[in-house]
Each structure stands twice: as structure tokens, then as C-alpha cells.
Amino acid sequence: MSIPLKHTARTTTGVVPPTEKKKGSKLFALKTDFLKNDEDSIQKGILDHVEYTLARTKYNFDSFSAYQGSAYTVRDRLIERWNETQQYYTEKDPKRVYYLSMEFLMGRSLQNAIYNMGLKDEYHSALLELGFELEDLYEEEKDAALGNGGLGRLASCFMDSLATLKYPAWGYGLRYNYGMFEQGIYDGYQTEVPDYWLVAGNPWEIERLDVQYTVRFYGHVTERKSSEGNKFDWEGGELVQAIAYDAPIPGYATTNTNNIRLWSSKPHKEFDLDAFNGGNYLSAVEAKQRSENITSVLYPNDNTYSGKELRLKQQYFFVAATLCDIIRRFKKNHSNWADFPNKVAIQLNDTHPTIGIVELFRKLIDEEHIQWDEAWQIVTKTYAYTNHTILPEALEMWPVSLIENLLPRHMQLIYGINHRFLLQVTQKWPGDIGKMRSLSIIQEGDEKKVRMAHLAIVGSHCVNGVAAMHSELVRNAVFPDFAALWPNKFQNKTNGVTPRRWIQQANPGLSSILNKWLKTDKWVTQLECVKDLKQHINNPELIEEWKSVKQFNKERLADFIHKTCGIQVNTNALFDVHIKRIHEYKRQLLNILGVIYRYLSIKKMSPKDRANVVSRVVVFAGKAAPGYVMAKRHIKLINSVAEVINNDKEVDQYLKVVFIPNYNVSIAQVIVPASDINQQISTAGTEASGTSNMKFTMNGSLIIGTLDGANVEIAEEVGQENMFIFGLRTHEIAGAREKMRQKEVVIDSRLQEVFLNIELGTFGPPEIFKPILDSLMYNDFYLTMQDFPLYLDAQAEVDALWKTQDAWIRKSIINTSSTYFFSSDRAMKEYAEEIWNIEPCEVETSDYRRY
Ligand code: NBG
């Protein structure tokens, strides 16, 4: 694939007025070319940054400074492309999409930027001459973990695809000083250490002191009579400053470089006269400092709602600054508000930024003096909302009293919006109080609450789920009345992941196989190409190459495990991987109970039977929310079981259990390519989509899983015969729960044996695990017990297939070659065409208008 811009002249298109031209001629003369990408220029750039940016010398030049120096030279090149892109977008003025997400789980940037800009070979040899391996320097970088899990990582995959597809897009989010906590494991328990990720600086961000906005909290609303009707002014309260930090996002093999703009809160410069007069200097400083708390810390909850005022402050701070920025950009070229939805699409990544709907409405009405109906039309045409979960504990509902205090004007407007909305409901269902109650944005009760999902649905022109089955549930089970009212509002957009990070960068061996057998590297941006691999499925040469790449990746992971956990694992064993947030619905418990059963079985076997056992390395990784007591107990159980198994010489060659601490994006990049099977075993109907399932499938790992989330669509593409599907189906869940309530569930005898061993203390003091067993016996909401025997059957099928390695490898190849649909490129095209109505805007790289 040709990669433009190895060294191209800068091209500012558009006509510059003659006076400007003269004034700027020196400027343009000095800045005509992009930085050169030959080895010498790269080396010089690195050394310059080591000296002038880091103030270090060539005598004091360690791996970390080599990483930093390299990162700054890459950043220079990103900035050039970024400026070029933004300039081009400004001139062309296409409709843009703004992706609003409280989370971006970016991971590392150096490798991604170098690969996307097509500079891998150049950097590799430039660094080699300076005495460094490029691949080693990647490891010097700290992950940017401004997200919890799937939702945040999805946002980052989407940003990569948007840039690669040349869509004019911006990501907006918050620059938390503390990202996802660092997980340690002590005595088998999770510990949490704050992640001050900026401690060694961050070459990937550009501080924009020139982009600042003021955000108001609290205060009061004053109504003023005027000739055009009543006006409402929101006044007083506290002011906080939002400062922009930009992270350039390079597309693959294109000049197009988009931006993620993250806001950081800083004290507002307003002079506090009262504090000054009161002589209370130190408390005035403290008050100012409090404003910096807003963007201090990412809430570490995945799929659960936290009703803290600070969280609502984060949400409002985020959208208030973002809308100032979007509107400023819009106003550069436009004066007619009716054009706004033709130029701006805003996507809400879950309900977290939903207050932005009301904020835009407030600005239109109070600041731009647009009439209610017209303003509401603009708002609803602009916004679209993605739902990412149907778990009730994750649905956000803010107490009315909290919003009234923090955002008084917004609460008034929400009442007004709800009033008009309920009139529509009455028209559709006259006199039906039940419908009004169930649809209302306000939930009545002891404490009135604002249902953010309802507000998001009412304020958007489109609502989508993230996998076919999830979207069906959103439409039919969670919001059936909304779907009846607005059948065309609801869509499905199945998630996707970027093949750049998850194949090309994470699995170089597999990339080479694809390049070789497909005779092209087009698959990197056109993943549909990989289906052609199926033609070679019986070619022994391919099968051998496939095996050896997997082996290499397993050895890489084994080294990592040895380094981080001190455990030696057998790389000929089957690598069985379960990595994701620790959550009851994701059922790591089902897995570890199965592991215990396997262990007990091996222990009972004769030496002859043991000879037939498939050796396994069972890998777990994932974080539990710090306040999620049950999930943390599951971590303890996994580690306690691991401790016993890993120290039992009798099972040494057959079974190892590893819990890799501090799971994050860069660790996933090592684990995913090394796995033989991956566990996607949530209770049917609970996992909205899942995205690691897609990454594993791309990397030829076979899914053992339930028909939940995107597993269903993966099964359609890959074929169920190439996976290990088991368990209750979604439509059986209610019945199974009823069976549990009626105490009609007969516990499988193998599970009883497992329970007995836990109770007898085989894995440590039984009282630690009693709450886990109790949760199963009294309720078993996630139906672990009923799925257990089916799960064991599926695991037995895994073992059987493993014994015929060539058949296994063929299935592995089929998995990889069936993954086109799960590329985030496909997902972004669908959003662009079916929700946002935007088109690609490719930055022209010809130099016909050089100055
Ligand atoms: C998560 C779902 C996952 C899904 C991701 C991305 C939330 C609220 N939801 O199944 O649990 O893959 O979103 O869509 O984090």
C-alpha cells in the first residue's frame, strides 16, 4: 500500500488575500516543507529533543530519554499533519461529527503513530544506529488509561477508524489527572493504587492555553421581562476554567489527522473580593483549588452508576466546554442557526454526556434567543445517543434536587422539555397515565429523579444499541413504549475494533502471514480481504506458519507471565484466556468453578488417564471496581485456587492458573494474540456487545461462549461449528430464574463436589468464600449453576478438538478470515452514513499551491 507523506511539501489550499500574502511571505518561505523522514533527520530530531526539550545530554541518554526523544519527533510530525488537516477542514467546511465520551482508553501511542504514519522502518533503523531497539522503546511508554473497559476502548478504536476513513471528526473528553487505578494483588486480594499517569510528562498531548472556556455551577436563575417575552439569566454560583489538551489521532496511510480534545479544570481567574477583604487568603486559595478537583479522577466503575455530585459536575463541565468549542467553530463560517444540524452531528457515548442536550438547548434559548420549538428542532437533529448497557444498576438517574442545586436553569428546562414530551405521549395514548409514568423523563417517588436515558432518547434523532441482540433488547425489552412512539428512531450499530492496533501492531507474525498469503497489505484498511485466506485453508505450509506464529506469541506471553507473576508456564499447553472487567454478569466465577472441577478430576485420575489430559494454562486478568465487594471476592477466589494448583506438583504439567495483575490495553496486546481459546461466558442477555471477543477472533482464538452480545453475530460470520457455544439462551433466562426461585434447580453433582472442596478449605479459609457460595445458593441471579454442566460439556469439546491440531488450526484460520464485519471501519461507515450523514474529507497532499 502506498503511504503518502514520507516527505511532502506543506500544502495550504485556499486563496490567501494579497495583503496577507505579503505580510506572511517570510512566514510561508520559512515553513514550506514537512519534516523529513530519512534516518539522519529522524536521528537529529531525536537528539535535538533530548537536548532542547528534555535538557539532557548525549552522555546521559538512556532508554527512557530515547523513548521521549522519539515520541517528541513523532509528535512534531503529527502536529504538521494535524495543522494541515484542520486547515483543510476549515476551508472545505464539511459537516463534522463530534464524539462525546467521558472515557478514552487510548493505551500507548508511539507504536500506533509510527505505524499509521508509515514510518516503522525509518524509525527502526534510525534508532538502531543510536543503539536502541524501537520495539524496546515501546515498553517505556505508560498507558493512557482514561477509561474503564469496553466503552472507553471502543471510543479509541472509533477515533482510529474515523481518521483512517478521513471523516472530519473530533473526539471530546476529560483529561483526568488520575486514570484507571493500578491494580496490585496482595495475598490474593486486589489493591488499588492511584494512577498518576502524567508523572513523567505526556508527549502525546498539546496544551492549548489559547483554548479556554468558563463553566458555571450552582447560582440562581433570574427572570426578566422583555419586549420579546421573558428572559432567563443564570447568574452567580462558582466559575471554573476549562483548558483544552489535544491528542492528535493519525489515520492510517493518510495525511488526515483528527483530534481528541480533553478538558482539564483550572481555577477561574475572577478576583474574589470578599475573600480578599476578609483577609482570608488561604481559604481563598483552597476554594480555587477545589475547582481543579473536577477533572482529577476517572470514576472507576464499569457498568455501574455512581450518584456522586462530583460525577455530575464532571459531566456538565465536559459538555459545557465542549459545546462552547463546537459553537465557536460553527460560528467561524456560519450565521444561520438552522444550518447547525447540517454542519454538526453530536454522538453521545452512553448517557454520561446527556446533560449536553439541555446545555445546547439552554444556549440556543437563553443566549441566542431562539424560540422554543425551533431550538428544540436544532437540538434533536444534532444529537444521537448510543446505549451501551441494559443492566439496571448502570442506568443513570440524577436526583432532581441535585440538578436543581448544581444546574438550576437546566432543571427548569428539563421540566419544560418533559411537559411538551408528555403532551405528545397523551396524543398517542390519550388518558393513559401508566404510559405517561413509564415514559416520563422524571421518575416520581420519594425522591424525584431525572432518567438520563429518557432524556437522551427524547433529545436525540437516533438511538442505537451496540450489537444486533442488544439493540433488539433496547427496543423491545427496555424501551418498548419509546419504540412504539418513535419506531424509526431506533437502530443497531454493531461494535467493531481497529485491525491496525489489534492485528497489525499486536500481532506482527499474523500480519506477515496475511501479507504473504493475500499478496497485499490492503487488509489493514479493507478487512474484507482476509476472507480470501480461506482458499488456502488446507495448505500445509499455511498451517505450519500459523502454528509457529501462535507459538511465538505464546512464548512472548509466557515470558511476560514469568516476569510479572513469577510463574513458569508450558507453551505447548492450550492457552485459555478470560480477560475483562471483573463483574458477576461476566461470570469469571463460572470459569474458576470449572477450573476447580478440572483440578479435582486430574487429581483423581490414574497415570494412564492423565496421559490423555490436555494441558492448560488458564489466564485471568481484569479489575474490579474498588467498591464492588463480591467481584473482589471473586478475584480472591481465583488467586487462592491458583495458589493451590500452581504449587501442586502432581498437576504441574497439566494445569496452571494465572491472574495477571493490572490489566490494561498494552497487556491485552500481548495476551490476545497468544490465546487459543477465549471465554465470553456472560449470562445471555447481559453483555451488550463485548469487543474483546472481536479482537480474539481476529487473532485466531476460538470463543467458548454463550449466545450473548456480539457473540451471536460472530457465530453467524464464523459458523457455530468453529466456536464452542453453550448455555441458556436469552429467552430462557426468565424461566431459569423462576426455576431458581421455586427451588427446582438440581445442582450438578460435579458442582457439588466443587462446593464441598471450597467448604472444606481446600483453597483456604472457607469463610472468605462463603458469601460467594451463598450468592449462588440463595439467588444465583446470573445462573452460574444452571449453566455449569453445559459449560463443562463445552470445555470437553475444546479438549477433544485440541487433540487434532490441524483441525484446530483450520478453525483458527476460519476465525481470522471471518472477521470483516467486526472492524471498527465498518462500524464507523455505518454511523457516518446512517446516523451522522457525514462524508469523508480527504486532505489533499499535492503541492500545487506552495507559497
Ligand atoms: C459496555 C458493555 C460492553 C460493550 C461496551 C462497548 C458499558 C456501559 N457498556 O458489552 O458492557 O462492548 O460497552 O459498547 O460500559
Side-chain angles (χ1 to χ4, degrees):
M1 179 179 291
S2 75
I3 303 201
L5 254 176
K6 293 254 168 177
H7 170 224
T8 328
R10 289 169 82 92
T11 66
T12 307
T13 57
V15 183
V16 176
T19 47
E20 282 295 306
K21 215 169 178 172
K22 195 165 162 222
K23 196 167 71 188
S25 58
K26 177 76 182 185
L27 249 164
F28 285 109
L30 285 173
K31 239 12 195 144
T32 52
D33 283 350
F34 280 114
L35 290 168
K36 295 190 174 64
N37 292 320
D38 57 282
E39 281 163 38
D40 286 353
S41 308
I42 290 174
Q43 286 166 343
K44 173 136 189 353
I46 294 173
L47 292 170
D48 278 352
H49 275 297
V50 167
E51 178 153 14
Y52 304 125
T53 310
L54 307 174
R56 302 188 70 159
T57 65
K58 54 186 172 227
Y59 307 108
N60 186 5
F61 188 25
D62 56 11
S63 292
F64 187 60
S65 15
Y67 154 69
Q68 284 180 302
S70 306
Y72 280 111
T73 60
V74 169
R75 165 197 158 116
D76 292 342
R77 286 157 176 81
L78 286 171
I79 291 176
E80 288 178 337
R81 288 159 164 79
W82 187 93
N83 279 335
E84 196 76 359
T85 306
Q86 299 312 322
Q87 173 75 15
Y88 192 77
Y89 289 169
T90 304
E91 285 162 11
K92 295 282 163 181
D93 191 32
K95 181 173 182 181
R96 293 168 173 88
V97 64
Y98 296 101
Y99 195 80
L100 269 54
S101 180
M102 293 280 283
E103 304 188 12
F104 286 95
L105 201 40
M106 293 182 271
R108 290 176 175 158
S109 292
L110 179 62
Q111 185 189 13
N112 182 67
I114 287 180
Y115 273 57
N116 277 13
M117 292 198 291
L119 298 177
K120 179 168 72 105
D121 296 342
E122 289 78 353
Y123 268 83
H124 182 84
S125 34
L127 281 159
L128 211 54
E129 277 190 8
L130 298 177
F132 298 97
E133 281 283 349
L134 173 61
E135 290 68 25
D136 295 342
L137 297 191
Y138 297 155
E139 302 299 315
E140 297 288 332
E141 185 174 346
K142 202 166 162 21
D143 272 43
L146 306 184
N148 273 286
L151 176 139
R153 184 53 232 173
L154 183 80
S156 285
C157 281
F158 280 3
M159 294 313 296
D160 179 75
S161 285
L162 286 168
T164 298
L165 294 166
K166 302 151 189 105
Y167 283 117
W170 283 64
Y172 276 99
L174 289 180
R175 178 181 179 269
Y176 305 104
N177 295 331
Y178 295 89
M180 189 61 204
F181 65 81
E182 275 176 24
Q183 179 195 53
I185 301 292
Y186 292 98
D187 190 26
Y189 289 100
Q190 166 175 300
T191 55
E192 299 104 25
V193 174
D195 164 48
Y196 187 66
W197 68 295
L198 298 164
V199 65
N202 175 15
W204 306 108
E205 69 181 10
I206 299 146
E207 186 182 40
R208 305 301 300 249
L209 296 175
D210 53 325
V211 183
Q212 299 200 19
Y213 301 101
T214 302
V215 178
R216 186 186 304 277
F217 292 105
Y218 308 106
H220 55 269
V221 180
T222 311
E223 188 174 351
R224 294 202 169 81
K225 305 241 175 295
S226 83
S227 52
E228 298 129 50
N230 295 354
K231 298 265 176 276
F232 295 84
D233 290 319
W234 179 22
E235 297 163 331
E238 287 177 12
L239 300 180
V240 178
Q241 206 65 0
I243 313 249
Y245 287 77
D246 289 345
I249 305 296
Y252 182 83
T254 168
T255 307
N256 283 61
T257 300
N258 286 340
N259 195 20
I260 299 181
R261 178 158 283 179
L262 303 178
W263 301 108
S264 179
S265 61
K266 296 277 149 66
H268 185 260
K269 60 182 181 305
E270 188 189 62
F271 184 65
D272 187 344
L273 197 64
D274 287 346
F276 179 76
N277 289 339
N280 209 349
Y281 170 68
L282 286 181
S283 63
V285 171
E286 273 170 32
K288 292 266 180 215
Q289 269 179 344
R290 272 201 300 277
S291 45
E292 290 182 272
N293 287 345
I294 296 174
T295 53
S296 264
V297 55
L298 164 79
Y299 275 85
N301 302 326
D302 178 88
N303 258 302
T304 27
Y305 152 71
S306 150
K308 298 276 187 301
E309 185 187 56
L310 181 59
R311 170 73 174 178
L312 182 59
K313 271 189 161 177
Q314 289 187 335
Q315 297 186 345
Y316 178 65
F317 175 79
F318 166 37
V319 298
T322 301
L323 282 164
C324 287
D325 209 37
I326 293 174
I327 291 172
R328 178 190 53 81
R329 194 167 303 117
F330 172 74
K331 283 186 171 176
K332 272 203 240 170
N333 286 326
H334 303 274
S335 50
N336 182 358
W337 275 101
D339 281 341
F340 193 71
N342 305 326
K343 289 292 165 186
V344 173
I346 302 181
Q347 189 68 32
L348 301 172
N349 196 24
D350 215 323
T351 51
H352 317 147
T354 296
I355 195 68
I357 289 176
V358 190
E359 174 68 358
L360 175 59
F361 192 47
R362 182 188 70 80
K363 286 169 109 64
L364 295 178
I365 289 197
D366 292 352
E367 294 175 5
E368 304 291 334
H369 310 299
I370 297 173
Q371 292 303 304
W372 187 288
D373 289 340
E374 200 188 328
W376 188 243
Q377 276 233 345
I378 294 171
V379 168
T380 53
K381 281 186 186 166
T382 302
Y383 277 101
Y385 152 58
T386 305
N387 173 290
H388 289 270
T389 182
I390 63 169
L391 296 188
E393 62 267 35
L395 292 181
E396 293 191 297
M397 286 196 282
W398 291 106
V400 166
S401 55
L402 194 60
I403 302 188
E404 237 156 20
N405 183 39
L406 191 69
L407 307 167
R409 178 62 180 143
H410 295 75
M411 199 57 238
Q412 290 179 345
L413 291 170
I414 292 171
Y415 275 125
I417 292 164
N418 197 38
H419 175 72
R420 282 168 172 78
F421 164 60
L422 291 178
L423 289 178
Q424 259 178 287
V425 174
T426 326
Q427 267 167 20
K428 169 103 181 167
W429 293 288
D432 190 338
I433 302 291
K435 282 276 186 287
M436 290 189 36
R437 195 170 296 137
S438 83
L439 285 165
S440 174
I441 294 170
I442 311 284
Q443 179 178 286
E444 302 292 334
D446 290 347
E447 186 178 33
K448 278 209 260 180
K449 290 184 173 160
V450 178
R451 296 157 159 162
M452 299 312 268
H454 289 213
L455 180 55
I457 297 171
V458 174
S460 298
H461 67 277
C462 181
V463 177
N464 74 284
V466 289
M469 195 180 92
H470 169 66
S471 296
E472 278 308 299
L473 292 170
V474 166
R475 185 199 294 265
N476 301 325
V478 190
F479 304 118
D481 294 338
F482 278 108
L485 188 63
W486 294 310
N488 298 329
K489 217 183 239 203
F490 289 79
Q491 292 196 18
N492 172 54
K493 292 283 163 283
T494 299
N495 283 166
V497 301
T498 169
R500 267 77 64 191
R501 185 175 292 260
W502 296 106
I503 303 178
Q504 196 192 29
Q505 294 159 35
N507 198 343
L510 177 58
S511 302
S512 305
I513 290 186
L514 296 177
N515 292 344
K516 172 180 163 184
W517 291 85
L518 302 173
K519 298 199 175 68
T520 170
D521 62 0
K522 273 208 191 99
W523 58 271
V524 178
T525 51
Q526 295 166 32
L527 198 58
E528 59 274 25
C529 297
V530 291
K531 69 175 187 312
D532 291 345
L533 207 59
K534 285 185 189 155
Q535 295 164 11
H536 309 289
I537 193 103
N538 290 318
N539 191 318
E541 195 184 321
L542 173 62
I543 292 185
E544 275 320 300
E545 288 177 14
W546 203 267
K547 272 187 197 161
S548 75
V549 164
K550 186 60 86 181
Q551 195 58 30
F552 175 88
N553 292 332
K554 287 166 81 165
E555 274 155 26
R556 185 173 64 163
L557 175 58
D559 285 347
F560 182 79
I561 290 174
H562 189 241
K563 242 188 9 237
T564 50
C565 316
I567 300 170
Q568 203 90 48
V569 298
N570 169 9
T571 54
N572 293 318
L574 185 160
F575 278 25
D576 171 347
V577 172
H578 199 171
I579 51 172
K580 48 184 81 252
R581 287 298 289 248
I582 312 293
H583 222 297
E584 284 164 285
Y585 86 83
K586 294 179 189 279
R587 296 201 298 192
Q588 283 89 359
L589 182 58
L590 177 57
N591 182 353
I592 196 66
L593 295 173
V595 168
I596 295 177
Y597 174 70
R598 176 174 288 267
Y599 171 64
L600 298 174
S601 313
I602 299 172
K603 291 287 279 181
K604 280 191 285 192
M605 281 179 192
S606 66
K608 187 164 151 274
D609 287 343
R610 278 191 192 159
N612 283 325
V613 167
V614 169
S615 295
R616 287 211 193 197
V617 174
V618 184
V619 176
F620 290 87
K623 296 175 183 178
Y628 193 167
V629 177
M630 186 56 88
K632 291 171 101 170
R633 243 182 250 280
H634 289 182
I635 294 180
K636 171 64 178 164
L637 176 62
I638 294 167
N639 283 304
S640 300
V641 170
E643 176 83 14
V644 171
I645 294 178
N646 297 342
N647 289 307
D648 188 334
K649 285 279 162 283
E650 235 184 331
V651 301
D652 198 51
Q653 31 168 332
Y654 307 113
L655 190 57
K656 284 276 178 259
V657 182
V658 182
F659 188 100
I660 298 179
N662 201 33
Y663 179 56
N664 60 18
V665 174
S666 53
I667 293 178
Q669 288 178 224
V670 179
I671 300 178
V672 171
S675 89
D676 294 306
I677 62 168
N678 65 99
Q679 306 224 14
Q680 310 294 342
I681 59 177
S682 49
T683 313
T686 60
E687 188 71 273
S689 163
T691 40
S692 75
N693 44 5
M694 302 170 182
K695 296 164 197 166
F696 281 110
T697 304
M698 285 181 181
N699 282 279
S701 169
L702 276 50
I703 289 178
I704 175 165
T706 47
L707 278 182
D708 196 21
N711 294 354
V712 177
E713 288 151 273
I714 295 177
E716 280 165 19
E717 296 293 323
V718 167
Q720 275 205 32
E721 67 285 7
N722 299 308
M723 307 162 71
F724 305 97
I725 296 293
F726 73 95
L728 292 163
R729 306 302 196 236
T730 304
H731 66 269
E732 296 168 324
I733 296 299
R737 288 201 174 126
E738 186 53 30
K739 210 166 143 191
M740 192 63 207
R741 262 192 295 277
Q742 301 301 332
K743 309 219 175 307
E744 286 165 6
V745 175
V746 182
I747 303 175
D748 184 273
S749 60
R750 295 165 292 183
L751 186 56
Q752 288 191 16
E753 192 191 342
V754 170
F755 287 169
L756 192 66
N757 271 275
I758 296 175
E759 283 163 350
L760 289 175
T762 308
F763 306 104
E767 61 277 9
I768 302 176
F769 308 118
K770 187 166 182 301
I772 298 180
L773 299 189
D774 287 350
S775 75
L776 296 177
M777 300 311 294
Y778 297 130
N779 178 356
D780 194 17
F781 188 73
Y782 296 105
L783 303 167
T784 300
M785 297 201 297
Q786 291 185 61
D787 267 344
F788 187 79
L790 307 165
Y791 176 65
L792 290 191
D793 292 348
Q795 285 287 19
E797 279 175 47
V798 172
D799 286 338
L801 183 70
W802 184 255
K803 291 178 181 165
T804 47
Q805 272 295 301
D806 282 5
W808 182 285
I809 298 290
R810 262 182 229 112
K811 287 187 196 289
S812 169
I813 297 172
I814 291 175
N815 268 266
T816 299
S817 51
S818 311
T819 44
Y820 156 67
F821 190 72
F822 306 103
S823 164
S824 44
D825 296 344
R826 186 272 313 153
M828 286 297 89
K829 265 188 222 139
E830 286 184 8
Y831 275 84
E833 287 164 16
E834 294 160 29
I835 300 179
W836 304 329
N837 194 22
I838 60 164
E839 280 172 10
C841 182
E842 180 167 10
V843 177
E844 287 166 23
T845 51
S846 66
D847 57 0
Y848 70 105
R849 268 186 187 156
R850 279 175 64 178
Y851 292 100

